[in-house]
């Protein structure tokens, strides 16, 4: 499939997209230098991710060296591709910018060239080290200002100021301060600051995923997904808007960026939504809401999702598993909101080129679903069979099979030459036929399949998974045009092959330019992380936030959400996530434990992630809203406000999965629990959407909206009401710990309230959860096998006498001489999902009343 020409972007959109790719595109020698550096960056990242360095025993880089080279490329491109000021030339690069770029490259690559020397004098930098570190920090701040704007630079400067001036701060947040030598060494010459975890994830994982998306887009997958979405949904009420939602979900798989998503799909979907009756503000807002949610959609969820792997200490497969249900129901709710908006305005969809009966539609859907299930089963079990039969050459056999499937799909695509034509808003009068469009680009799904397979089945690292998917995309870009020309017998093999190689090179350069902002953001965020580790402010934040929230977990969650939204006004999602999660995630977990609520760390990190993304459409500085408003020719503030009202369904989800972690597919014991969780969460989200839109079957009355909100809450958190009826926990004196531990089922948990001091003198008063393994008659012995050895004094007080290294007790954080205040014994209660019965009954009653009202209003 050949992607058609995209409609020209409005000037305002071009200006906004410059924040991601750089606004300078000089010609001549200067342009070729930037082009060559960007190409070299992509080639270096592919080399670093591959096995070739180890096979050839050449060009092997450790993680610190790779981070150093990664930032060298990012700084060079940021200081040359982005002008210093608005009045700076766009067609050429001033000499001072070349000097800055060279100095930045030298500063960043210093760790690579002097790695051994720095290792021998760790903590005792010489004068040369300090000069390089100071220059590097200053140039990084300047690169941040140019590529990401003032806000992130100001935040980094504030944290640096806090590092130097800790002794002059208010007592609650004061510290002894740090010298210039110590600070610069910590920030630039170690892996605790700029060259820390964040830029490590950027160099190892994120670049390859961004490159994969750029190549997929260059191959024409973006246009293909838009066409498929419109052929599937264009005939429904508000069909173009529903198709925009689905197309943005597909584009989220490619880009992982809400702004890029708006620009990619919005240039087509927004005008078409306006044509079928949506006001410009709502058309832009729907695209914004769909695009921001694209960054929440697995398997590619932006740079912040890969950082979770490092910060939370789980695999990327686990991140995808926890994020999948919230993202799906969020998109379902947005499609439902679009449906309600279409009902309000009595909109119609685009006509079909031929009408289909209900039976034909049902048969088509059933056939497609059954076909997908059969195909999935054949692929899964077929691949498993090849492993057993072919052993070490199974991967080679699979590669050959994928090649055969790729050629077969290209042969099918070659039968539909008309699919090369771009959908044009002005000429689109009916829904395009699904069959020719679907078959014209099925091969685009193969690299996505490879990516998901490597991540979820092979359990490869995200970097290695993205590498193999990217290499598949390289093959597609180089071969798709000549093979299609061959099958179509057009006789233009050489021009087609040349065009394929040119698109590959362009995709590699585009991927590198798309990474400039992310690379700089992760490096600058390292300054904030370095400040936390150097000053200990992370420990102080617990006391500060608890004081502000007065120990109320809900207030603290609201406080954290507000911080994320405020910082998101100027910070990119990645930097926002790093700052807020570093400061707030441990505090929320600790405060929740103090109040008896065990909050998994992944839930808190997803909470921060969600609100960081929502900042993209939050007035007054939501860049995605500005991009959509420029396309729809509407007011950007009103577009942002309308988009945020649509995104209220997304904003409520993080609060729900903090208190009901089953939404994240955590602690689901059986398939029935999974089914009830999925159905209940979907029902809750759709009910919440109807309440916030003030419309269901007809316009809601006030009491109906309040009842719908109550029903939505009950479906989201059925355990809240069940706990009010049947108290789930009885608190027992610690002397009963042996009897309680004896009754805990195998490999289940028991909850203990503990009081003690940490190694740094901080008092701990919290709930601890200990996993006990196989049941044995002696409760104390079972605790010892879990690593918790206790002693009982003469007053029947129970203390931790010893914690076995590496045991379950050690891993959850028990420490010597902590006192067990009481033991929590879980009581039997009816299944919490019984609450669904009255909730659904009330919902049905409201629906019946609205149906009768609508019947009276219908002539």
């Amino acid at each position: 499939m050949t992607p058609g020409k995209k409609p020209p972007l409005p000037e305002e959109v071009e200006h906004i997209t410059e924040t991601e790719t750089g606004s300078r595109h000089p010609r001549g020698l200067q342009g070729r230098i930037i082009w060559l550096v960007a190409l070299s960056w992509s080639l270096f990242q592919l080399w670093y991710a591959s096995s070739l360095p180890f096979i050839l025993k050449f060009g092997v880089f450790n993680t610190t060296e790779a981070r150093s080279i990664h930032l060298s490329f990012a700084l060079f491109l940021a200081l040359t591709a982005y002008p210093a000021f608005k009045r700076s030339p766009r067609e050429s690069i001033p000499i001072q910018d070349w000097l800055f770029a060279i100095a930045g490259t030298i500063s960043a690559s210093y760790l690579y060239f002097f790695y051994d020397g720095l290792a021998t004098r760790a903590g005792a930098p010489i004068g040369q080290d300090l000069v390089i570190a100071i220059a590097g920090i200053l140039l990084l701040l300047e690169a941040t200002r140019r590529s990401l704007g003032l806000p992130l630079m100001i935040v980094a400067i504030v944290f640096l100021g806090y590092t130097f001036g800790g002794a002059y701060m208010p007592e609650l947040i004061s510290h002894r301060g740090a010298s210039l030598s110590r600070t610069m060494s910590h920030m630039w010459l170690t892996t605790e600051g700029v060259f820390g975890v964040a830029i490590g994830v950027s160099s190892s994982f994120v670049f390859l995923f961004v490159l994969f998306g750029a190549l997929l887009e260059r191959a024409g997958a973006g246009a293909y997904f838009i066409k498929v979405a419109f052929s599937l949904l264009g005939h429904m009420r508000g069909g173009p808007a529903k198709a925009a939602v689905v197309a943005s979900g597909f584009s989220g798989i490619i880009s992982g960026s809400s702004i890029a998503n708006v620009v990619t799909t919005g240039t087509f979907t927004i005008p078409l939504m306006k044509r079928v009756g949506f006001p410009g503000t709502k058309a832009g807002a729907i695209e914004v809401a769909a695009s921001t949610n694209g960054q929440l959609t697995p398997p590619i969820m932006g740079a912040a999702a890969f950082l979770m792997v490092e910060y939370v200490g789980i695999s990327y497969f686990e991140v995808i598993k926890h994020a999948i249900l919230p993202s799906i129901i969020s998109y379902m709710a947005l499609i439902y909101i679009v449906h309600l908006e279409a009902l309000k305005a009595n909109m119609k969809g685009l006509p079909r080129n031929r009408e289909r009966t209900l039976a034909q539609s049902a048969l088509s859907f059933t056939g497609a679903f059954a076909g997908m299930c059969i195909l999935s089963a054949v692929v899964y079990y077929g691949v498993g069979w090849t492993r057993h039969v072919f052993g070490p050459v199974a991967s080679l056999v699979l590669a050959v099979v994928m090649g055969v499937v790729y050629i077969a799909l290209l042969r099918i695509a070659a039968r539909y030459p008309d699919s090369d034509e771009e959908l044009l808003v002005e000429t689109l009068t009916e829904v395009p036929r699904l069959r020719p469009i679907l078959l014209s680009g099925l091969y685009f799904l193969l690299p996505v399949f490879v990516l998901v397979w490597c991540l979820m089945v092979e359990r490869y690292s995200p970097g290695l998974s993205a590498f193999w998917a990217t290499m598949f995309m390289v093959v597609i870009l180089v071969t798709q045009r000549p093979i299609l020309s061959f099958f179509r017998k057009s006789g233009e093999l050489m021009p087609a092959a040349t065009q394929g190689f040119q698109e590959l090179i362009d995709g590699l350069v585009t991927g590198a330019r798309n990474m400039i902002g992310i690379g700089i953001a992760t490096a600058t965020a390292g300054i904030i992380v370095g400040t936390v580790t150097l000053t200990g402010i992370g420990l102080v934040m617990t006391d500060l936030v608890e004081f502000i929230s007065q120990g109320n977990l809900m207030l603290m969650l609201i406080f954290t959400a507000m911080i994320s939204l405020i910082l998101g006004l100027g910070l990119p999602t990645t930097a926002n996530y790093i700052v807020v999660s570093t400061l707030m995630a441990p505090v929320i977990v600790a405060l929740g434990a103090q109040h008896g609520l065990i909050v998994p760390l992944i839930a808190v990190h997803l909470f921060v992630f969600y609100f960081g993304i929502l900042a993209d459409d939050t007035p007054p500085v939501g860049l995605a809203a500005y991009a959509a408003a420029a396309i729809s020719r509407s007011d950007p503030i009103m577009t942002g406000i309308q988009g945020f009202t649509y995104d209220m369904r997304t904003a409520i989800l993080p609060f729900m999965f903090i208190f009901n972690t089953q939404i994240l597919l955590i602690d689901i014991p059986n398939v029935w629990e999974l089914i009830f969780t999925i159905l209940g969460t979907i029902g809750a989200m759709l009910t919440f959407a109807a309440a916030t839109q003030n419309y269901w079957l007809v316009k809601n009355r006030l009491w109906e909206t309040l009842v719908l909100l109550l029903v939505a809450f009950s479906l989201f958190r059925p355990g809240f009401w069940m706990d009010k009826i049947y108290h789930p926990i009885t608190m027992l004196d610690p002397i009963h710990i042996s009897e309680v531990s004896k009754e805990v089922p195998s490999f289940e948990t028991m909850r203990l309230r503990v009081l003690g001091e940490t190694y740094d003198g901080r008092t701990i008063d919290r709930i601890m959860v200990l996993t006990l393994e196989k049941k044995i008659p002696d409760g104390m012995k079972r605790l010892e096998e879990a690593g918790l050895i206790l002693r009982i004094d003469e007053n029947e007080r129970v203390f931790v006498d010893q914690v076995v290294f590496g045991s379950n007790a050690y891993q959850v954080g028990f420490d010597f001489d902590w006192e067990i205040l009481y033991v929590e014994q879980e009581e039997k209660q009816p299944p919490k999902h019984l609450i669904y019965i009255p909730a659904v009954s009330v919902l049905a009653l409201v629906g019946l009343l609205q149906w009768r009202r609508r019947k009276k209003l219908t002539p």
Side-chain angles (χ1 to χ4, degrees), residues 118-176:
L118 290 170
T120 59
R121 57 177 182 270
I126 60 176
Q128 174 183 296
D129 298 341
L130 290 179
V131 170
I132 290 293
I134 293 171
I137 291 290
L138 292 176
L139 289 168
L140 176 59
L141 292 173
E142 170 61 10
T144 304
R145 182 188 69 81
R146 294 190 186 194
S147 59
L148 300 166
L150 280 172
L152 181 56
M153 184 192 77
I154 292 172
V155 170
I157 291 174
V158 167
F159 273 81
L160 281 173
Y162 175 76
T163 303
F164 293 124
Y168 306 100
M169 295 292 167
E171 183 178 355
L172 188 60
I173 59 172
S174 65
H175 63 96
R176 64 180 182 178

Side-chain angles (χ1 to χ4, degrees), residues 212 216 221 225 250 253-254 299-300 402 443-455 469 472-473 476:
F212 173 70
L216 199 57
F225 289 148
F250 286 144
I253 295 175
I254 298 175
I300 303 175
M402 290 294 288
Y443 60 93
F444 287 131
L445 300 179
L446 292 179
V448 179
F449 166 78
V450 170
L451 175 64
V452 175
W453 177 267
C454 290
L455 281 171
F472 199 143
M473 276 310 309
I476 288 178

Side-chain angles (χ1 to χ4, degrees), residues 374-396:
I374 293 170
L375 180 62
S376 301
V378 168
V379 169
Y380 185 85
Y381 292 106
V383 171
W385 172 77
T386 59
R387 284 179 182 170
H388 292 295
V389 172
F390 296 105
V393 297
S395 297
L396 180 61

